[in-house]
Amino acid sequence: MLNLMPFSHREDNLFNYLDNLEKNFFGDMDQNLSQFRTDILDDGDHYTMKADLPGFAKEDIHIDLNDNTLTIHAEHNEENETKQDNYVRRERRYGSFSRSFDVTNINTSDIDASYTNGVLELKLPKLEVTVPEPRKIEVK
């Protein structure tokens, strides 16, 4: 009965404590570093994909299509240097994100992309489904 409760099962041991301490301090590294958030809307004859990529220039975003896989890759590399008197301060910021999507039922020749205010928007037109006409087969 207790396993059906919507609460996490607590195990008091050193390994779980250290693992939870790391997750609480750094966050979930797999979710935060390698992916970006996307929304996909069904708009009837096409899908609209919205990907949050704040802080990237349009030139930093690359969209590749290989077979039935659409890959969005964004890479940001920035260096600033400020000199005041004898003090030098350098700041570097680097980030790279990549995500792939299956576009099997998409008309890939008509995909449109735009980037405004940190949001990449792709219009993914659906393939027209052709239904074969029913026919009768005569038995001989």
Side-chain angles (χ1 to χ4, degrees):
M1 177 84 170
L2 290 178
N3 291 337
L4 299 177
M5 296 287 201
F7 301 107
S8 62
H9 184 67
R10 182 176 173 191
E11 292 182 30
D12 291 327
N13 66 43
L14 180 62
F15 295 111
N16 287 337
Y17 174 77
L18 293 175
D19 188 41
N20 289 333
L21 180 69
E22 179 184 6
K23 284 181 184 177
N24 290 334
F25 185 75
F26 292 109
D28 192 356
M29 300 296 278
D30 294 335
Q31 293 294 325
N32 294 332
L33 293 180
S34 63
Q35 294 187 352
F36 45 87
R37 304 291 186 238
T38 58
D39 295 328
I40 301 174
L41 307 165
D42 188 348
D43 291 328
D45 63 338
H46 69 278
Y47 295 105
T48 301
M49 177 189 295
K50 294 181 181 182
D52 293 339
L53 294 168
F56 288 93
K58 184 167 64 169
E59 297 78 25
D60 296 337
I61 300 170
H62 305 284
I63 303 170
D64 298 316
L65 187 61
N66 187 8
D67 292 328
N68 288 325
T69 303
L70 178 87
T71 301
I72 301 171
H73 179 79
E75 187 171 356
H76 182 73
N77 191 3
E78 177 183 308
E79 291 188 20
N80 294 328
E81 184 174 324
T82 304
K83 290 186 178 185
Q84 293 176 344
D85 298 325
N86 292 334
Y87 182 76
V88 175
R89 177 178 63 120
R90 291 187 63 146
E91 294 180 352
R92 289 179 256 354
R93 188 172 70 168
Y94 177 80
S96 176
F97 300 93
S98 182
R99 197 148 176 209
S100 296
F101 300 91
D102 180 28
V103 290
T104 302
N105 295 319
I106 301 297
N107 183 357
T108 57
S109 61
D110 292 336
I111 295 175
D112 288 326
S114 63
Y115 183 68
T116 308
N117 296 328
V119 178
L120 176 67
E121 186 170 320
L122 280 84
K123 182 179 178 184
L124 307 165
K126 296 178 183 178
L127 280 176
E128 293 183 21
V129 179
T130 57
V131 179
E133 293 183 27
R135 65 182 185 119
K136 287 193 175 218
I137 300 174
E138 292 185 31
V139 180
K140 296 181 182 180

Short mmCIF file of all heavy atoms in Angstrom, two decimals, residues 51-56 61 115-120:
data_model
loop_
_atom_site.label_atom_id
_atom_site.label_comp_id
_atom_site.label_asym_id
_atom_site.label_seq_id
_atom_site.Cartn_x
_atom_site.Cartn_y
_atom_site.Cartn_z
N ALA A 51 11.41 26.70 -30.18
CA ALA A 51 12.55 26.31 -29.36
C ALA A 51 13.12 27.54 -28.67
O ALA A 51 13.41 28.54 -29.33
CB ALA A 51 13.62 25.63 -30.21
N ASP A 52 13.28 27.48 -27.36
CA ASP A 52 13.83 28.59 -26.59
C ASP A 52 15.35 28.56 -26.66
O ASP A 52 15.99 27.64 -26.15
CB ASP A 52 13.39 28.51 -25.13
CG ASP A 52 11.90 28.74 -24.96
OD1 ASP A 52 11.30 29.34 -25.87
OD2 ASP A 52 11.36 28.33 -23.93
N LEU A 53 15.93 29.58 -27.31
CA LEU A 53 17.38 29.70 -27.42
C LEU A 53 17.80 31.14 -27.11
O LEU A 53 18.34 31.85 -27.96
CB LEU A 53 17.84 29.31 -28.84
CG LEU A 53 17.65 27.86 -29.22
CD1 LEU A 53 17.85 27.65 -30.70
CD2 LEU A 53 18.60 26.98 -28.43
N PRO A 54 17.57 31.61 -25.88
CA PRO A 54 17.91 33.00 -25.56
C PRO A 54 19.41 33.22 -25.51
O PRO A 54 20.17 32.33 -25.14
CB PRO A 54 17.28 33.19 -24.18
CG PRO A 54 17.24 31.84 -23.58
CD PRO A 54 17.02 30.90 -24.73
N GLY A 55 19.83 34.40 -25.94
CA GLY A 55 21.24 34.76 -25.87
C GLY A 55 22.05 34.33 -27.08
O GLY A 55 23.24 34.63 -27.15
N PHE A 56 21.45 33.66 -28.03
CA PHE A 56 22.17 33.23 -29.23
C PHE A 56 21.91 34.21 -30.36
O PHE A 56 20.81 34.74 -30.51
CB PHE A 56 21.72 31.83 -29.66
CG PHE A 56 22.21 30.74 -28.76
CD1 PHE A 56 21.42 30.29 -27.72
CD2 PHE A 56 23.45 30.16 -28.95
CE1 PHE A 56 21.85 29.29 -26.89
CE2 PHE A 56 23.90 29.16 -28.12
CZ PHE A 56 23.10 28.72 -27.08
N ILE A 61 23.04 29.56 -34.78
CA ILE A 61 22.07 28.47 -34.83
C ILE A 61 22.17 27.77 -36.17
O ILE A 61 22.13 28.40 -37.22
CB ILE A 61 20.64 29.01 -34.60
CG1 ILE A 61 20.55 29.69 -33.24
CG2 ILE A 61 19.63 27.88 -34.70
CD1 ILE A 61 19.27 30.45 -33.03
N TYR A 115 13.89 33.27 -36.41
CA TYR A 115 14.43 33.44 -35.06
C TYR A 115 14.15 34.87 -34.61
O TYR A 115 14.64 35.83 -35.21
CB TYR A 115 15.93 33.15 -35.07
CG TYR A 115 16.57 33.24 -33.71
CD1 TYR A 115 16.27 32.32 -32.72
CD2 TYR A 115 17.50 34.23 -33.43
CE1 TYR A 115 16.87 32.40 -31.48
CE2 TYR A 115 18.11 34.31 -32.19
CZ TYR A 115 17.79 33.39 -31.22
OH TYR A 115 18.39 33.46 -29.99
N THR A 116 13.33 35.01 -33.56
CA THR A 116 12.95 36.33 -33.05
C THR A 116 12.93 36.30 -31.53
O THR A 116 12.32 35.42 -30.93
CB THR A 116 11.54 36.72 -33.56
OG1 THR A 116 11.50 36.59 -34.97
CG2 THR A 116 11.21 38.15 -33.18
N ASN A 117 13.61 37.27 -30.93
CA ASN A 117 13.60 37.45 -29.46
C ASN A 117 13.94 36.17 -28.70
O ASN A 117 13.31 35.84 -27.70
CB ASN A 117 12.24 37.98 -28.99
CG ASN A 117 11.94 39.35 -29.52
OD1 ASN A 117 12.85 40.15 -29.73
ND2 ASN A 117 10.68 39.63 -29.76
N GLY A 118 14.94 35.43 -29.17
CA GLY A 118 15.40 34.25 -28.46
C GLY A 118 14.58 33.00 -28.68
O GLY A 118 14.80 31.99 -28.04
N VAL A 119 13.62 33.05 -29.61
CA VAL A 119 12.78 31.88 -29.89
C VAL A 119 12.94 31.50 -31.35
O VAL A 119 12.68 32.30 -32.25
CB VAL A 119 11.29 32.16 -29.57
CG1 VAL A 119 10.44 30.95 -29.92
CG2 VAL A 119 11.12 32.52 -28.10
N LEU A 120 13.39 30.27 -31.58
CA LEU A 120 13.49 29.72 -32.93
C LEU A 120 12.15 29.08 -33.24
O LEU A 120 11.65 28.26 -32.48
CB LEU A 120 14.60 28.67 -33.00
CG LEU A 120 14.75 27.93 -34.32
CD1 LEU A 120 15.22 28.86 -35.42
CD2 LEU A 120 15.71 26.76 -34.16
#
